[in-house]
Amino acid sequence: MKAVAAGIGVVFLSPLLLAGTAMMMASSAEAVQTSGSFSGCLTDIDSDEVAKHVTDILDGASGKDVHIEGLDLPAEQVPHARTIVATGISLDVPKKGQIIALATAMQESRLRNLNYGDRDSLGLFQQRPSQGWGTAQQIRDPVYASERFYKALLKVDGWQQMTVTQAAQAVQASGYPDAYAQWEELSTALQEAIAKTFPSTGKDKDDKEPDNESVTGTTGCAPSKDGSGFGRIPEGSVPKGYKIPKDADPKARKALNWAMHQLGTQYQWGGSCTDAHGPDPMGRCDCSSLMQQAYAHAGITLTRTTYTQVNEGKAVSPSHLQPGDLIFSRGTASRPEHVGMYMGEGLVIEAPRTSKPVRITPIKDWDILAARRVL
């Protein structure tokens, strides 16, 4: 990362001021750029072709068989691009912000999670520990690095009216302020291709309500135990004294046991939850994939999103929850935005949101919009 005056606060300056400041340092991307095989601007990108190749890579195709103009190592670069897009979506960053992030990472690291750079610059965005972006270990976590970039971008006044290169420069303070522009077309194609691989967020759907039988709205009822007896529950841990109730359905017991083994792993919007403890951020869990994979290990097939899981199984009253029941909150009863699994004893296991780990929370903290029994 370049010199950033007093940490993130520099993003409040205009790109013109940043471009002219005497403290500007040479971009660590220079080393990346001179070592890469690409030079010049990318134009006339075939978006359909990029989309096909991105899908192939994400489906496990060998990078040797895939060619995407501007990407020398697509098998490594495309998954990092996917992490950047997924993090942007999870933070409600508009499409343009995701494109800016991709263009920045292309320029700074060629979408590689580098362990070197100019001075102490590291990672996808070449952020610098010495300039307040986080520890070296944090910066080399693609999700953390993406979050920090987006948070800095969103603080830039008027960033949505800027060009891609102006907005990127406002965050990065690069010694090569015009370099980001060359990646805009490729970044746009990547964003569009990758965004299509994620489940729908539901924001583009109509507002038709499902049948009355399909949801259970709040009626003032609540479980007899609200979890308050366990006191404060440290994130990622099992409350002292909790055990899965003896009368829990055997399949619910398996699902809960598997979900509890994911405690402490970081949330990843769009993550598959197939390898939450592994190095790939997209193997981590979001709220609905945690439910899906937990029940898959119990032999029960669930659909992928909260918008479809709310119609799984049968509706139950929040006052009659059993271990393994899915409970939904945020949004509306017909289109909830969050799901967790009831554990009994007034507790819920969930993958809450970006920057938070899989955790157990008391049900008293939930505004229950619907509940479903999938057994």
Side-chain angles (χ1 to χ4, degrees):
M1 192 64 189
K2 279 55 62 183
V4 183
I8 310 301
V10 73
V11 298
F12 289 103
L13 301 177
S14 72
L16 292 176
L17 181 57
L18 287 167
T21 180
M23 294 183 65
M24 191 168 301
M25 295 183 179
S27 171
S28 57
E30 182 180 19
V32 175
Q33 195 167 21
T34 55
S35 63
S37 62
F38 176 79
S39 62
C41 294
L42 288 174
T43 57
D44 299 323
I45 293 290
D46 187 333
S47 296
D48 292 337
E49 191 73 7
V50 171
K52 176 183 180 303
H53 291 319
V54 164
T55 301
D56 289 343
I57 287 290
L58 295 178
D59 285 343
S62 169
K64 296 179 181 179
D65 303 322
V66 174
H67 173 70
I68 300 176
E69 187 178 0
L71 300 185
D72 297 327
L73 301 168
E76 176 184 353
Q77 294 162 306
V78 169
H80 287 320
R82 190 171 192 252
T83 296
I84 291 171
V85 172
T87 304
I89 293 173
S90 73
L91 295 173
D92 292 326
V93 176
K95 174 182 176 180
K96 181 174 181 179
Q98 297 167 39
I99 292 170
I100 293 167
L102 289 170
T104 302
M106 275 300 304
Q107 174 59 23
E108 300 294 347
S109 69
R110 293 296 188 271
L111 279 171
R112 291 177 290 161
N113 193 18
L114 300 178
N115 62 359
Y116 63 89
D118 176 57
R119 305 192 188 192
D120 58 339
S121 300
L122 296 167
L124 291 173
F125 297 91
Q126 290 289 280
Q127 294 156 331
R128 297 181 60 186
S130 64
Q131 298 299 318
W133 289 90
T135 65
Q137 182 179 7
Q138 288 174 323
I139 289 171
R140 294 209 63 232
D141 179 333
V143 176
Y144 174 89
S146 299
E147 288 177 16
R148 289 303 306 268
F149 177 85
Y150 283 125
K151 289 177 180 178
L153 175 66
L154 295 176
K155 291 180 181 178
V156 175
D157 187 25
W159 71 266
Q160 294 195 60
Q161 287 71 51
M162 296 178 182
T163 65
V164 167
T165 195
Q166 286 174 332
Q169 171 64 3
V171 176
Q172 300 294 99
S174 170
Y176 299 87
D178 298 322
Y180 304 105
Q182 65 185 316
W183 304 111
E184 181 172 355
E185 193 166 342
L186 174 60
S187 297
T188 299
L190 286 172
Q191 191 281 334
E192 292 175 350
I194 291 168
K196 292 176 182 177
T197 69
F198 291 114
S200 170
T201 62
K203 294 178 181 179
D204 56 348
K205 297 182 179 181
D206 59 48
D207 293 325
K208 182 180 178 181
E209 293 284 337
D211 295 336
N212 291 335
E213 296 178 354
S214 67
V215 296
T216 302
T218 52
T219 60
C221 298
S224 57
K225 295 183 179 181
D226 65 5
S228 59
F230 290 97
R232 180 183 175 277
I233 304 172
E235 287 190 336
S237 67
V238 179
K240 184 178 180 180
Y242 171 80
K243 293 182 179 180
I244 299 175
K246 293 181 180 180
D247 59 352
D249 184 284
K251 291 185 177 180
R253 180 179 293 276
K254 286 184 178 180
L256 284 166
N257 185 63
W258 188 88
M260 289 167 66
H261 278 84
Q262 316 315 311
L263 284 169
T265 61
Q266 286 296 308
Y267 176 98
Q268 174 60 53
W269 189 92
S272 65
C273 202
T274 53
D275 188 15
H277 295 273
D280 182 3
M282 299 314 298
R284 299 172 188 170
C285 309
D286 65 13
C287 65
S288 55
S289 66
L290 177 63
M291 303 299 105
Q292 183 187 50
Q293 292 302 316
Y295 266 112
H297 284 78
I300 301 292
T301 300
L302 297 182
T303 50
R304 176 62 181 84
T305 71
T306 57
Y307 309 105
T308 51
Q309 288 177 0
V310 76
N311 294 311
E312 301 271 7
K314 64 180 180 180
V316 294
S317 167
S319 62
H320 294 90
L321 292 176
Q322 295 179 6
D325 287 346
L326 305 185
I327 62 173
F328 299 84
S329 67
R330 306 176 196 163
T332 66
S334 63
R335 195 161 297 147
E337 298 173 357
H338 187 56
V339 60
M341 187 182 298
Y342 186 62
M343 304 176 66
E345 303 299 320
L347 299 175
V348 184
I349 189 166
E350 62 169 348
R353 63 182 183 276
T354 297
S355 78
K356 291 291 185 179
V358 175
R359 65 186 183 184
I360 294 172
T361 53
I363 202 167
K364 67 181 179 64
D365 294 341
W366 284 67
D367 180 13
I368 302 175
L369 299 173
R372 307 293 295 187
R373 186 161 297 151
V374 299
L375 297 172

